[in-house]
Amino acid sequence: MEQMQGIWALTRENIRKNMSSMSFHRWIDVLEPVTIQNGILIIQCPDGTTKSTLTEYYKDTLRMAAKQANTQIVDIMLILPDQRRDFDHDEQTATPSIYALNPRYTFDTFVVGNSNRSAHAAAQAVAKAPGRVYNPLSLYGGVGLGKTHLMHAIGHAVKQNFPTARVLYVTSETFTNELIEAIRMGKNAEFRHRFRNVDLLMVDDVQFIANRQSVQEEFFNTFNTLHNAGKGIVISSDRPPQEIANLEERIRSRLVGGLSVDIQEPDVETRIAILRNKAQQEGRAVDDSIIQFIAEHVPNNIRQLEGSLTKVFFYSNLKEEPITMALAREALKDLLPEDKKVDVTPTRIKEIVADYYHINLQSLMSQRRDKEVVVPRQISMYLCHDMLSLPYKRIALLFDRTDHTTAISACGRIETMMQEDAEFKRSLEDIRKKITEG
Ligand code: ADP
Ligand code: MG
């Protein structure tokens, strides 16, 4: 273990040279080496956002730095607090009550808005009197809206309000895996001891335990034991308990018997507040207009919102440029809807068609009757009719013709040609695309 700490210290030094101190503080200082297994340095990230950012942008740097630190290292692996138990051999020293709580997910960092006000209030009430109010508390809502954050916040607050309280937070995945492992190893008693001797049990994303009979059975028993003993229970799921398919009726009715509160998608004001908060946490000054821009253009999920800001910061570091609107646009271009909507007008149609057939606009508008100009002219008329729904009379006038039957027969001709000639039809599609896409 001492060796691992030494390797980690060197790794950090190697990385520090290649990173701004701000980024280093944000992305590397928060990491914790866990162990080395078969030459793989296992590193714990505090949360999913950190892990995915590191994976996307810094993993190669990290790997190189670790290899440089010690030739015994062949690779690195990033894990979440949740997975830590899989690597901790020294279980006595791991404190199950807190190892899985992300220090950044507290009530202080949780922005309250209309979309999450009731969930926040219920969470705070539970944190003040776990087991005594709203028991069980179910938080439900779509992904990335703050359920996990609120559960961790409850955990931190309970530890603060009741320092001796035993708080256990697990994802339903961890619950399931540990149960299966316990059964396999014949350690059911240990498993029960671990989950039933707590003052507050929080199980995240319980929709995942539906479908598994044996896991539900154990969950139900754990639940009952704790509930009967007046211990607190908080669960989250992506939908209200009544709607979790395949969830045993007795569990469902237990959950419905407590308090269920939903978290909805945040409105623009809340999104702005979240972004401001996050920028501040990271010590970055971001202009209000840019915050507003991101809040208005990025979909409602808060995880994506945070990810967008991270991406903007990353771009700014990479290019060593200040955060401007242009930089934000560039960083987020994949997320933004195509904003070059073109205004389709008769003039635009005429210009594009003329250009496509290499003739000039005057010829298109002239009275010439040779094929080179007649077909493009008819196409232009047809597109004015088809794309703009202009009446024939109007179309004729747009081409300096007094007789509207000219426009009618032009459209008829083009339709026939499209039916008869696939090649012609394709070029028409081509033209249409040029007109709409700018
Ligand atoms: P869920 O568990 O509902 O999928 P999370 O709790 O993981 O969502 O939230 C996703 C991200 O958004 C986290 O980084 C979390 O800190 C952040 N987040 C969610 N809601 C808020 C909020 N109200 N204020 C600040 N950050 C938030
Ligand atoms: Mg979650």
Side-chain angles (χ1 to χ4, degrees):
M1 281 302 114
E2 249 169 55
Q3 191 209 8
M4 178 191 73
Q5 292 298 350
I7 292 175
W8 181 239
L10 272 178
T11 306
R12 281 169 48 97
E13 288 323 302
N14 292 337
I15 300 172
R16 199 193 294 276
K17 292 173 219 149
N18 299 315
M19 244 172 149
S20 75
S21 63
M22 192 90 83
S23 304
F24 186 85
H25 179 65
R26 169 63 185 91
W27 302 112
I28 307 300
D29 269 344
V30 296
L31 303 178
E32 204 185 311
V34 177
T35 185
I36 297 169
Q37 280 184 0
N38 304 323
I40 301 173
L41 175 62
I42 317 281
I43 303 166
Q44 176 180 308
C45 307
D47 54 80
T49 309
T50 307
K51 185 178 163 190
S52 54
T53 307
L54 286 168
T55 306
E56 191 165 348
Y57 302 119
Y58 295 118
K59 197 163 176 197
D60 292 334
T61 314
L62 258 172
R63 186 186 297 113
M64 294 279 287
K67 281 176 158 180
Q68 265 174 32
N70 189 300
T71 49
Q72 175 206 332
I73 305 290
V74 292
D75 201 356
I76 58 156
M77 177 178 174
L78 299 170
I79 62 163
L80 290 173
D82 233 286
Q83 300 164 280
R84 175 132 189 184
R85 271 178 66 88
D86 299 342
F87 299 98
D88 267 329
H89 299 296
D90 199 4
E91 292 202 359
Q92 260 68 43
T93 59
T95 38
S97 58
I98 42 172
Y99 74 83
L101 295 180
N102 182 332
R104 298 197 301 130
Y105 291 176
T106 62
F107 282 124
D108 283 344
T109 57
F110 191 83
V111 175
V112 184
N114 289 330
S115 56
N116 56 29
R117 201 177 301 283
S118 45
H120 174 258
Q124 283 209 314
V126 167
K128 288 197 185 101
R132 282 186 284 129
V133 294
Y134 308 141
N135 205 25
L137 172 66
S138 308
L139 302 169
Y140 67 92
V143 289
L145 298 183
K147 302 181 296 294
T148 299
H149 188 135
L150 269 185
M151 291 175 105
H152 288 217
I154 294 173
H156 291 302
V158 168
K159 291 296 287 178
Q160 196 160 27
N161 298 340
F162 311 96
T164 58
R166 287 155 301 172
V167 175
L168 183 54
Y169 163 90
V170 284
T171 60
S172 65
E173 203 185 357
T174 304
F175 184 86
T176 304
N177 292 343
E178 290 197 15
L179 177 64
I180 292 169
E181 186 65 10
I183 295 170
R184 200 170 66 84
M185 308 286 284
K187 290 192 168 173
N188 299 31
E190 279 90 337
F191 179 88
R192 292 202 173 126
H193 181 80
R194 181 163 134 72
F195 281 93
R196 295 183 192 187
N197 277 291
V198 299
D199 298 298
L200 176 66
L201 174 66
M202 296 189 281
V203 184
D204 208 349
D205 290 320
V206 295
Q207 71 272 9
F208 294 126
I209 67 159
N211 284 332
R212 285 185 181 255
Q213 189 64 44
S214 58
V215 181
Q216 288 205 29
E217 179 77 29
E218 186 60 38
F219 179 67
F220 179 73
N221 292 332
T222 305
F223 189 108
N224 272 349
T225 308
L226 290 173
H227 199 259
N228 293 340
K231 306 300 187 188
I233 297 157
V234 179
I235 63 114
S236 81
S237 76
D238 64 350
R239 67 205 83 169
Q242 307 87 283
E243 287 172 22
I244 306 177
N246 301 324
L247 189 66
E248 267 187 46
E249 193 44 47
R250 50 188 188 157
I251 299 182
R252 197 195 314 263
S253 63
R254 278 291 193 175
L255 293 178
V256 172
L259 175 70
S260 301
V261 272
D262 71 329
I263 305 188
Q264 309 215 325
E265 294 187 342
D267 49 29
V268 177
E269 288 77 52
T270 314
R271 297 211 292 277
I272 290 176
I274 289 170
L275 289 170
R276 270 212 194 102
N277 206 296
K278 179 155 167 81
Q280 200 183 6
Q281 275 176 44
E282 310 245 337
R284 307 282 302 235
V286 185
D287 200 80
D288 276 353
S289 60
I290 294 169
I291 297 262
Q292 175 109 18
F293 169 76
I294 300 175
E296 278 170 3
H297 288 87
V298 172
N300 294 334
N301 175 325
I302 297 173
R303 193 170 293 139
Q304 284 180 4
L305 204 60
E306 290 190 326
S308 309
L309 197 59
T310 303
K311 207 153 183 190
V312 170
F313 292 160
F314 177 74
Y315 255 67
S316 151
N317 289 349
L318 192 74
K319 306 186 129 199
E320 298 181 337
E321 282 174 18
I323 300 170
T324 58
M325 191 64 105
L327 183 120
R329 270 184 189 281
E330 195 192 338
L332 304 178
K333 61 179 179 299
D334 297 343
L335 283 171
L336 302 175
E338 299 275 332
D339 57 358
K340 33 175 187 172
K341 246 196 165 9
V342 255
D343 202 359
V344 178
T345 60
T347 310
R348 180 169 176 81
I349 292 176
K350 287 187 220 172
E351 282 168 358
I352 301 278
V353 175
D355 189 56
Y356 190 88
Y357 287 102
H358 306 294
I359 57 172
N360 57 36
L361 213 51
Q362 286 90 314
S363 317
L364 194 80
M365 299 294 291
S366 71
Q367 303 293 328
R368 273 170 58 186
R369 308 199 52 107
D370 49 314
K371 196 165 170 237
E372 273 81 354
V373 297
V374 169
V375 174
R377 189 184 296 137
Q378 289 176 330
I379 291 176
S380 309
M381 289 183 174
Y382 167 78
L383 290 174
C384 283
H385 177 64
D386 192 59
M387 297 177 80
L388 302 172
S389 310
L390 295 180
Y392 293 119
K393 215 172 172 143
R394 182 83 211 291
I395 294 171
L397 284 174
L398 282 170
F399 289 82
D400 291 330
R401 265 69 179 170
T402 45
D403 188 358
H404 73 282
T405 55
T406 321
I408 298 177
S409 63
C411 291
R413 276 274 323 272
I414 299 301
E415 265 161 23
T416 316
M417 279 167 77
M418 280 199 299
Q419 271 161 25
E420 289 171 358
D421 183 348
E423 180 78 58
F424 179 75
K425 192 171 171 194
R426 256 196 303 281
S427 37
L428 228 103
E429 290 316 316
D430 244 24
I431 297 173
R432 207 188 277 273
K433 237 169 123 188
K434 287 192 196 310
I435 293 171
T436 51
E437 288 182 358

